[in-house]
Each structure stands twice: as structure tokens, then as C-alpha cells.
Amino acid sequence: MATNHESSNPTAPDSPREPLQSEGEVLAEARRRSRRSFIGLGLAGLAGLGGWNWLISQPKDSGIAQPLRKVLDANGRLSGAYFKETRLAPEFARSRARTPRVNGKIGMKQELDPEAWRLRVQDFGTGATQEFTLADIKALPKVVMTTELKCIEGWSTVVNWSGARLSDFLARHPLASRPGTTVELAAYVGMSTPDDAYYVGLDMPSALHPQTLLCYEMNGQPLTAAHGAPLRLVTPLKYGTKHLKRIGTIAFADTRPKDYWAEQGYDWDSGH
Ligand SMILES: Nc1nc2c(c(=O)[nH]1)N[C@H]1C(S)=C(S)[C@@H](COP(=O)(O)O)O[C@H]1N2
Ligand SMILES: [Mo]
């Protein structure tokens, strides 16, 4: 993956309060816990040390609050060092990227006006809905990656994707906090097409995974309508079923959100 910005030096203190666990402490905890819960652990650790409000009020690096940026970077480094084989989906040379077949049109029957489109995100704390334009998504650090799109039907295609990390979106717009707290995140994220005909659920660690992107480009070109314009999900540790095209809404929950293919009997997690 490449981003269009320089990350802050993760060892440089952001403030005299030094709210972060040292990397040694993080590593020690990471060894004791399962890898699935680890990203949650990083956020929970931060929460205990000053809280989400403090976190998001800190100076921003490319729009991302520095402390959260550091924790997410630390998670990325740890995943690289400890969970290399299973934790990150493999990346491929850009030259291997192809256009995948158009597969699945549920929730994409109506024409969509990209100018009028808004991403509608329901604040888990207040229940209020906030709207975002594509420009709001493009204002986040742009991530480019070449990964494999694997369909449950048995085919797979290497695709070059560009978009924003869902984790960067949630760091910049902290809408996933549990009601009554400002520090804990919901356990799940649910997303659906604007007409609600196709929908997927993700556990929060998968949603915060560094390769889980809100994508607006495929192979260097703006997404076509058939591939999910203006915005689709890409999450390459999971099968294509989870790669929701034409995202309309995002909401948060503490129980598994509805999932179209899970309702048809497929595995809810759909990892591979
Ligand atoms: N809205 C919507 N998104 C969807 C689907 C769908 O039917 N509707 N099908 C999924 C499946 S099963 C796959 S394999 C991928 C295929 O993405 P592509 O058409 O860009 O190749 O889209 C996923 N996202
Ligand atoms: Mo699929």
C-alpha cells in the first residue's frame, strides 16, 4: 500500500502527556491476546488513557488525529511483524491488475446521479445521520493497493484499487462510539446500498483493517456504475460478497448487522 502523505514519526511524542502505551507494552499485550481483538485493544488502550474526546481534539496529520494515527500505524507495524502470513492480504505488481467481471447487481437497479449521491452515516452515539460527499472521502489520505478480488463462485482477479481507509474515515469522523460513552467503539459496522437491497456486515477489527478501503477508483480510473460508483467497499481478506458496491449508508451496532449472503446461508465472516 502507498499513501500520498508522510506518516508522522511514530516514536516522536505528540504532547507532554504521552498518552500512548509504549510499543513494548503494546507488544506484550498483543502476545497475550488474540490477533482478532488486537486493533480493538489499541483503541481501548487509548480510551483508558484520556478518552476519545481528547484523542480527536489533538493536532491533525493529514486530517487524522495524531494519537489515533499513531495507534493505527503501530497496529500496521505489529501486523507486519507478527501476523505477516495471515494478517495482510498479498499485494501484486500494478501491471498484473485487470478489470474484474461485473458480478452482482443487487441494489444497483436504479440510475444513480453521482452529484446528488451522499454517504449517509448514522452516529452510533446520537442516532443522528450525517451526510458526506465524495469530496469528503477524497479529502482523506489516498491509499492505492493491488490485491486479489476473490468471488465465492471460484474466480479471482487482481485489481488495483484507490480509496480511503475506513479506519481513517472513522478517525476523522468519530461516529462509531457507543452510546453513553465517548471512548468505546461499536462491535460491528453495517453498510447498505441506497435502496437497502444489498447489505453487508463487518466486525470492527475487519472494518479498521488497513486494507479495508472506501474505494472510488479501479485500475486508476473512476469507478464505473457497474463496479459500484461512486463509492464501494474493498476488503481483500474477505470474499467478494462483502465488497459492497454503491455504498449508500453506514451504521454501527453491537450485534451482527444483517448481511445479504449470510441470510442465504453463507458464512457471516466470509474471510479467506
Ligand atoms: N451492491 C452490490 N454489491 C455487490 C454485489 C451485489 O450484488 N450488489 N455483489 C458482490 C459480489 S458477490 C462480488 S464477487 C463483487 C464483484 O465486484 P465487481 O462487480 O466489481 O467485479 O461485488 C460484490 N458487491
Ligand atoms: Mo461474488
Side-chain angles (χ1 to χ4, degrees), residues 100-108 149 151 155 161 193 198 218 226-227 232 240-241 243-246 261:
R101 82 168 69 153
V102 173
N103 210 53
K105 295 179 183 165
I106 306 160
M108 301 173 68
L149 174 63
C151 178
W155 57 269
W161 303 104
T193 52
Y198 194 84
M218 173 191 278
H227 288 295
R232 74 174 294 166
T241 46
H243 292 52
L244 178 72
K245 298 188 280 191
R246 193 189 278 192
W261 284 106

Side-chain angles (χ1 to χ4, degrees), residues 93-239:
R94 171 72 177 81
S95 59
R96 289 191 53 187
R98 299 286 180 271
T99 304
R101 82 168 69 153
V102 173
N103 210 53
K105 295 179 183 165
I106 306 160
M108 301 173 68
K109 299 275 145 67
Q110 260 104 49
E111 283 225 3
L112 181 138
D113 173 4
E115 296 296 313
W117 174 89
R118 296 288 182 274
L119 175 64
R120 297 166 56 81
V121 186
Q122 195 178 24
D123 187 326
F124 192 46
T126 66
T129 296
Q130 215 170 300
E131 294 193 343
F132 298 89
T133 63
L134 192 58
D136 295 326
I137 309 302
K138 288 184 172 175
L140 296 163
K142 185 177 185 178
V143 175
V144 182
M145 65 181 191
T146 304
T147 53
E148 206 168 16
L149 174 63
K150 286 193 188 198
C151 178
I152 220 132
E153 295 164 357
W155 57 269
S156 70
T157 305
V158 173
V159 184
N160 175 260
W161 303 104
S162 313
R165 288 192 176 105
L166 182 54
S167 64
D168 284 343
F169 177 81
L170 293 177
R172 177 74 183 78
H173 307 288
L175 299 165
S177 302
R178 178 166 292 135
T181 91
T182 51
V183 297
E184 290 170 53
L185 299 184
Y188 297 97
V189 181
M191 301 187 188
S192 65
T193 52
D195 66 1
D196 213 24
Y198 194 84
Y199 35 85
V200 300
L202 292 177
D203 57 274
M204 187 59 80
S206 297
L208 296 178
H209 186 277
Q211 292 172 310
T212 298
L213 306 185
L214 301 169
C215 278
Y216 44 81
E217 288 173 11
M218 173 191 278
N219 298 334
Q221 300 297 319
L223 274 182
T224 60
H227 288 295
L231 195 68
R232 74 174 294 166
L233 190 73
V234 171
T235 184
L237 286 179
K238 295 189 183 288
Y239 281 107

Side-chain angles (χ1 to χ4, degrees), residues 71-89:
V71 163
L72 293 172
D73 286 349
N75 281 316
R77 283 205 314 282
L78 288 171
S79 60
Y82 283 82
F83 313 123
K84 210 174 200 135
E85 303 312 318
T86 54
R87 190 63 180 158
L88 288 175

Side-chain angles (χ1 to χ4, degrees), residues 30 33-39 83 86-87 205 237:
R33 305 215 187 187
S34 80
R35 63 185 180 84
R36 297 286 304 166
S37 66
F38 181 62
I39 291 176
F83 313 123
T86 54
R87 190 63 180 158
L237 286 179

